[in-house]
């Protein structure tokens, strides 16, 4: 029975490490646990009253929930490794009766103290292999802390880039550039800038897929609401007389198609055209 608990504990710990690796350091993958938590909370926010307010909290709360799941699963996994070897494999300070501190709750306590690197020492590993394993758990705890910081520092700049692009599109929409104004060097420059910005957002959605589950709030900073204007500009500029404008329009169209493909394959699954994908994107982020 003891070896079975050890095996189960090892599987839990390795599954968390794999999930952390896929979520943070594998740009083309999406961690299983993190995806499950993120998607679950996103869908729950869609059916709650006051969806806009609820979905605005989904991203931050989901990140907290994912980190909590990672930490609790690691603590549980190592507790399953420790439990079969208590009390004989551990040493106890004076005043603690080993027989009274050999329950699974005590194994959880040892695991929690170790992963948090507190090292209280009242219950410590005594067997040689446990003395090596316990510091490894401390290293895993440090990895989880570093991963959380790295994740936060990665996602929020990605969100800022997405919202900045949305605001740029909003500015263009409010100024109503005419076809004649677009059919000039300035128009080509504008279209090139939009294509470059959309390419960056496409990479962000691949590398920080969890950023999709953050609601942008204000319509002017919501890419889901403003992205269709970029399609309108590409369509209008495609018939321009200026060759640089036509080229920039083609590049912008290609960037939009790539973004739609990423959104559809990873999140929406409509298998539709770019406009259909962007319409589904707007609906999924609180649009009509």
């Amino acid at each position: 029975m003891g070896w079975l608990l050890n095996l189960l504990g090892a599987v839990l710990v390795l599954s968390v490490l794999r999930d952390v690796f896929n979520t943070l350091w594998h740009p083309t993958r999406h961690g299983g646990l993190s995806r499950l938590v993120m998607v679950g909370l996103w869908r729950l926010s869609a059916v709650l009253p006051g969806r806009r307010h609820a979905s605005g909290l989904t991203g931050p709360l989901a990140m907290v929930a994912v980190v909590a799941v990672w930490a609790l699963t690691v603590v549980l996994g190592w507790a399953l490794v420790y439990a079969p070897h208590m009390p004989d494999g551990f040493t106890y300070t004076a005043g603690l009766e080993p027989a009274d501190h050999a329950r699974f709750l005590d194994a959880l306590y040892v695991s929690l103290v170790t992963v948090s690197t507190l090292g209280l020492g009242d219950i410590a590993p005594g067997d040689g292999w446990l003395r090596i394993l316990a510091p490894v758990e401390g290293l895993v705890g440090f990895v989880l802390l570093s991963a959380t910081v790295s994740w936060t520092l990665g996602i929020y700049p990605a969100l800022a880039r997405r919202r900045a692009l949305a605001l740029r599109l909003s500015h263009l929409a409010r100024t109503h550039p005419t076809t004649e104004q677009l059919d000039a060097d300035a128009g080509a420059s504008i279209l090139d800038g939009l294509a470059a910005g959309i390419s960056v957002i496409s990479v962000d959605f691949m590398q920080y897929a969890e950023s999709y589950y953050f609601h942008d709030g204000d319509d002017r900073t919501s890419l889901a609401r403003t992205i269709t204007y970029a399609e309108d500009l590409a369509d209008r500029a495609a018939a321009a007389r200026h060759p640089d404008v036509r080229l920039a329009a083609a590049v912008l169209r290609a960037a939009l198609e790539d973004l739609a493909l990423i959104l559809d394959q990873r999140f929406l699954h409509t298998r539709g055209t770019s406009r259909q994908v962007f319409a589904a994107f707007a609906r999924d982020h609180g649009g009509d």
Side-chain angles (χ1 to χ4, degrees):
M1 184 63 178
W3 68 268
L4 186 59
L5 290 177
N6 288 168
L7 179 61
L8 178 59
V11 169
L12 290 177
V13 172
L14 290 176
S15 68
V16 168
L17 293 179
R18 177 180 179 275
D19 193 64
V20 171
F21 177 79
N22 285 340
T23 300
L24 273 70
W25 297 303
H26 199 318
T28 60
R29 294 295 300 272
H30 204 359
L33 290 173
S34 60
R35 180 180 178 83
L36 184 64
V37 172
M38 287 278 185
V39 172
L41 289 177
W42 181 258
R43 291 178 177 173
L44 178 62
S45 71
V47 300
L48 291 175
R51 177 184 179 182
R52 183 174 294 273
H53 178 71
S55 58
L57 296 175
T58 300
L61 289 179
M63 287 188 68
V64 172
V66 169
V67 173
V69 168
W70 285 343
L72 292 176
T73 304
V74 165
V75 170
L76 177 61
W78 242 280
L80 289 171
V81 173
Y82 296 147
H85 307 283
M86 298 184 74
D88 296 335
F90 289 80
T91 60
Y92 295 79
T93 59
L96 291 181
E97 183 63 39
D100 295 335
H101 296 278
R103 299 166 298 174
F104 184 71
L105 184 62
D106 297 292
L108 280 174
Y109 164 75
V110 173
S111 180
L112 184 60
V113 168
T114 305
V115 80
S116 62
T117 67
L118 288 177
L120 298 181
D122 51 347
I123 303 177
D127 287 350
W129 70 279
L130 287 173
R131 289 168 61 87
I132 295 175
L133 193 63
V136 173
E137 183 183 7
L139 289 175
V140 170
F142 181 76
V143 167
L144 288 179
L145 177 61
S146 302
T148 301
V149 174
S150 174
W151 198 22
T152 303
L153 293 178
I155 280 186
Y156 280 94
L159 292 174
R161 290 188 290 269
R162 188 170 87 197
R163 290 163 182 169
L165 175 61
L167 193 58
R168 172 64 169 158
L169 287 169
S170 174
H171 293 161
L172 288 170
R174 282 185 288 163
T175 55
H176 304 292
T178 64
T179 302
E180 290 74 17
Q181 289 173 323
L182 287 176
D183 197 1
D185 290 339
S189 178
I190 289 173
L191 297 175
D192 281 336
L194 291 178
I198 290 170
S199 297
V200 171
I201 302 306
S202 296
V203 173
D204 284 340
F205 275 127
M206 288 190 293
Q207 189 154 355
Y208 302 104
E210 295 78 11
S211 65
Y212 177 87
Y213 304 107
F214 282 72
H215 194 276
D216 291 322
D218 180 41
D219 291 348
R220 291 182 180 179
T221 57
S222 173
L223 187 64
R225 295 292 190 94
T226 59
I227 191 63
T228 54
Y229 185 70
E231 283 203 307
D232 295 338
L233 286 177
D235 290 342
R236 289 167 54 193
R241 295 188 301 272
H242 199 303
D244 289 346
V245 175
R246 292 198 303 271
L247 176 59
V251 174
L252 176 57
R253 170 59 61 189
L256 287 166
E257 289 174 352
D258 284 347
L259 176 60
L261 183 62
I262 292 168
L263 289 172
D264 204 40
Q265 288 182 341
R266 283 181 164 250
F267 312 107
L268 299 169
H269 312 294
T270 68
R271 297 185 178 181
T273 64
S274 295
R275 284 196 179 273
Q276 290 170 332
V277 171
F278 292 142
F281 182 33
R283 289 194 300 272
D284 201 32
H285 278 253
D288 297 329

